[in-house]
Amino acid sequence: MNDVLLSGSERPSYGQLVMWTVEDHYTAVSTQVEATLPSPTDRVPRGRKLAQDRTPVTLQLLNSEREYLDDLAAGVAQRYEDARVTRTDVAIAALTVALQVRTGSAL
């Protein structure tokens, strides 16, 4: 993500990148959120998961931007019998769509 989306002299924050992607590709982000929702019949292990190399990302959003993400999440949740959809789900979907748009490929 850093090499593809956040390279160059001017770098947006992760929050800006998420918001711009949602604004420019709302339907694609919504579709991506839907595609990653777990099936209600999926089994979830209770054991510990192996640690993975990750960098925590904190989105800095305005209140109006939070409401916009919440509206998208609520819309997806309603279409899927009130599934739990979080801002994090929307942010991950938006970043995935941003990478797909920039690279021209599906992830």
Side-chain angles (χ1 to χ4, degrees), residues 14 53-59:
Y14 287 106
D53 291 335
R54 294 186 180 196
T55 302
V57 173
T58 303
L59 301 181

Side-chain angles (χ1 to χ4, degrees), residues 67-83:
E67 292 170 5
Y68 197 63
L69 294 184
D70 289 345
D71 288 345
L72 189 149
V76 171
Q78 285 179 343
R79 287 192 298 278
Y80 286 86
E81 299 179 13
D82 293 323

Side-chain angles (χ1 to χ4, degrees), residues 19 61-71:
M19 287 310 304
L61 301 169
L62 303 172
N63 283 335
S64 60
E65 293 171 332
R66 286 185 191 133
E67 292 170 5
Y68 197 63
L69 294 184
D70 289 345
D71 288 345

